[in-house]
Amino acid sequence: ITHAEIVGRFAARLREVRRSRGLTQAELARRAEITVSYVWRLETAGAAPGIDLLDRLAAALGTTPSDLLPAAARPDTLGTLK
């Protein structure tokens, strides 16, 4: 299955926030009430979460759902400055 680009951005952001909180995948899984293998799939863009799971993940990480969903790829500001 090929997921939309936002799934990859979500995966990277989920991993980034989890690591910044000092949590293992197992700790996040326990807090969000999902399996460790599902956390791995989410963090490798192998699965796309539903909105209810997005909310649980955000709560487990102490953030907001919108923080886990980057709206678009970051703009190339370096190219703009040139």
Side-chain angles (χ1 to χ4, degrees):
I1 296 176
T2 302
H3 293 290
E5 183 182 325
I6 193 170
V7 177
R9 292 192 311 268
F10 165 78
R13 182 66 182 150
L14 178 64
R15 186 173 44 255
E16 175 186 14
V17 173
R18 176 183 59 78
R19 288 178 175 169
S20 76
R21 303 293 194 269
L23 297 175
T24 64
Q25 288 182 339
E27 290 166 326
L28 176 57
R30 183 183 53 76
R31 289 181 181 193
E33 300 177 354
I34 59 176
T35 65
V36 176
S37 63
Y38 198 61
V39 171
W40 178 82
R41 287 180 56 212
L42 290 168
E43 288 190 354
T44 58
I51 197 165
D52 56 337
L53 178 54
L54 176 62
D55 189 55
R56 287 201 327 260
L57 289 165
L61 292 166
T63 191
T64 63
S66 61
D67 183 43
L68 295 177
L69 281 176
R74 296 185 184 192
D76 178 12
T77 55
L78 183 59
T80 303
L81 295 174
K82 289 182 178 178

